[in-house]
Amino acid sequence: MALLHIPLNQIEEQHILELVATRAPETNIIEYKRETYGNSLRDDLEFLADVSSLANTSGGDLIIGIAATQGIPEAPVPFTGDVDGEINRLESRARAGLQPRISLESRAVPVQGGHILVLRVARSYNPPHRIIRENSNRFWARSTAGKYEPNVDQLRELFTLAPRIADQTREFRTNRLIRIASGDAPVTLMHKDVLVLHVVPFSAFDRDAPLPMAELERDYTSFHPIGSRQSQGLKINFDGFLAMSNGDRAANVERAYVQLFRGGIVEAVDGLYVRASGQPLIPVVEVERSITANAMRLMRDLSAIGAAAPYAVLASLLTVEQGRFNFAHPGDGAWYDRMGSYTDRPQYAFGEVIFDSAPASIQACAERMRPLLNQLAQSGGMAGSVSFRDDGTFMTGR
């Protein structure tokens, strides 16, 4: 038994007591500490080794305030000091003592007599993390027997993890674009010219946890198609879970869909062109807003089902029919004065953007995605995105 299946903000006293009652042993994803770490160099190095070993392997929880013998929990020993100050102290040590930085979240769980501190370390997809405190330069990993220093071959494998994930992500996108362009999408699309948005959790290629199919089948609001307030049709299929935009099942065509693959990758596809005076136009500003808002929404939906960050966001345009980029803002009466270049290829695959966590706001999301949005605008002949004001504020239209 462990706690990783429970969102950190939902861990309560009963979950802590269950660990003790069931004698849940330490494993590669959970470690107990009777007391918090002291202020000596030795204590600091031990803390950094514990945290980095989790990040370099599978991630996990470091639980402070449980007495254990040979890895078996025996009783809570609640922390009675300033919990906010202690969490800040430990998080600051982790930030300052490890390179690259890790993703670390903390929760002080109220229990009888005080608090149990749970430090949740995400599995890193940018390993290995080394201890830089006092020029230690040591690497740690973890097995069911505890932490250990990896050998040269194991370190080499850790160093190649991030490039391997990048290659797998790009290969997945390429294969999916080929299939969609050839008419082999999970639905029959109303339009051949489409926006394709992929959100890829780095965990997707080694994810063991199944999708919560029963919950998804009842939920018409999560993972809904672009341009819709909710899904009009839901379907479990071979690849995972499919959400559709057309409520008329007899029509058998879809303007948009979202395919959630079993590993957690999201593919959201939406019709691309609008027409003005019979001319097919790509409304760049609306596409930029759609990419930004829907990427943020889908990252949050993934987080809610346990497919945690980091995420790669990839946007592509399939432009089978030659059209023209248009940079008018919605409601702009002089839309024709904002014409850009004609499309010159059937496919635009823009560079990926990496998010360490689901963004907290549309502004934060747009700021991170600005290089991708600039690349979209440049495809139409503009120097950069026209969706940002001079002060860097992203114009959402609201």
Side-chain angles (χ1 to χ4, degrees):
M1 177 183 175
L3 300 179
L4 281 180
H5 66 289
I6 305 172
L8 186 62
N9 62 1
Q10 295 179 20
I11 296 176
E12 303 293 347
E13 182 177 14
Q14 68 184 62
H15 301 119
I16 301 297
L17 297 179
E18 285 174 6
L19 291 175
V20 177
T22 59
R23 297 173 58 81
E26 290 183 336
T27 66
N28 61 318
I29 60 172
I30 188 168
E31 180 167 347
Y32 304 113
K33 293 292 181 182
R34 178 187 179 96
E35 298 173 344
T36 191
Y37 298 84
N39 292 309
S40 69
L41 175 60
R42 179 177 179 179
D43 290 330
D44 204 9
L45 293 177
E46 181 186 0
F47 169 66
L48 295 172
D50 290 340
V51 171
S52 63
S53 69
L54 289 167
N56 284 334
T57 312
S58 302
D61 290 330
L62 186 58
I63 302 179
I64 300 173
I66 292 185
T69 299
Q70 295 183 339
I72 303 298
E74 295 178 333
V77 185
F79 178 79
T80 58
D82 176 6
V83 290
D84 291 335
E86 183 60 16
I87 285 175
N88 288 336
R89 183 180 76 95
L90 294 175
E91 290 183 347
S92 296
R93 285 190 170 189
R95 286 193 297 269
L98 295 173
Q99 194 176 73
R101 289 188 176 185
I102 63 167
S103 176
L104 175 64
E105 298 178 290
S106 306
R107 173 169 169 75
V109 181
V111 299
Q112 185 176 1
H115 292 82
I116 303 295
L117 307 184
V118 181
L119 277 60
R120 178 157 290 177
V121 183
R123 176 185 177 177
S124 174
Y125 291 94
N126 186 31
H129 299 268
R130 64 187 175 95
I131 299 174
I132 58 174
R133 178 85 159 86
E134 296 294 319
N135 296 315
S136 172
N137 289 317
R138 297 176 72 179
F139 297 92
W140 293 89
R142 183 172 290 267
S143 70
T144 54
K147 60 181 180 287
Y148 65 92
E149 294 190 78
N151 60 32
V152 172
D153 290 336
Q154 291 166 329
L155 271 178
R156 185 179 296 114
E157 183 176 352
L158 287 173
F159 271 111
T160 60
L161 177 59
R164 187 167 69 245
I165 290 173
D167 289 343
Q168 289 175 306
T169 298
R170 293 165 188 155
E171 182 180 3
F172 177 88
R173 194 252 293 264
T174 298
N175 290 338
R176 290 303 305 166
L177 293 181
I178 291 172
R179 295 187 66 169
I180 295 168
S182 66
D184 190 19
V187 299
T188 300
L189 288 165
M190 189 179 298
H191 307 289
K192 293 182 179 180
D193 305 288
V194 293
L195 164 67
V196 182
L197 183 63
H198 287 112
V199 182
V200 183
F202 281 18
S203 60
F205 301 107
D206 62 356
R207 179 176 167 85
D208 295 326
L211 296 176
M213 292 294 192
E215 297 176 24
L216 291 169
E217 198 173 20
R218 295 190 298 267
D219 186 355
Y220 281 74
T221 57
S222 296
F223 299 103
H224 63 74
I226 294 172
S228 301
R229 291 182 180 273
Q230 64 178 29
S231 302
Q232 298 299 317
L234 302 176
K235 180 181 178 182
I236 296 173
N237 61 11
F238 177 81
D239 289 316
F241 186 79
L242 178 66
M244 295 164 283
S245 63
N246 194 342
D248 182 4
R249 301 271 51 87
N252 201 34
V253 292
E254 301 290 339
R255 172 191 57 79
Y257 72 85
V258 170
Q259 174 71 58
L260 175 60
F261 291 88
R262 294 183 184 277
I265 297 176
V266 178
E267 176 177 281
V269 175
D270 184 34
L272 178 62
Y273 286 144
V274 298
R275 293 185 181 273
S277 302
Q279 184 176 24
L281 301 177
I282 299 174
V284 176
V285 173
E286 293 183 34
V287 171
E288 289 184 357
R289 292 177 183 176
S290 178
I291 290 172
T292 304
N294 287 287
M296 182 176 72
R297 171 178 63 87
L298 293 169
M299 281 187 275
R300 290 179 176 180
D301 287 347
L302 284 169
S303 179
I305 65 168
Y311 306 110
V313 174
L314 306 94
S316 314
L317 304 181
L318 297 183
T319 59
V320 178
E321 179 183 2
Q322 187 180 53
R324 197 169 183 183
F325 292 90
N326 183 265
F327 292 89
H329 286 259
D332 187 349
W335 62 268
Y336 199 83
D337 294 335
R338 301 287 285 167
M339 300 294 276
S341 304
Y342 284 96
T343 58
D344 60 2
R345 65 198 65 201
Q347 180 184 116
Y348 293 85
F350 306 114
E352 66 269 15
V353 180
I354 307 302
F355 286 83
D356 294 329
S357 60
S361 69
I362 194 71
Q363 294 295 332
C365 186
E367 182 178 345
R368 178 65 65 87
M369 294 192 68
R370 192 164 186 171
L372 186 156
L373 303 181
N374 284 341
Q375 191 178 11
L376 167 59
Q378 289 158 4
S379 300
M382 284 285 183
S385 170
V386 297
S387 295
F388 293 86
R389 297 189 177 92
D390 292 341
D391 63 0
T393 302
F394 183 68
M395 292 179 279
T396 63
R398 292 188 291 273

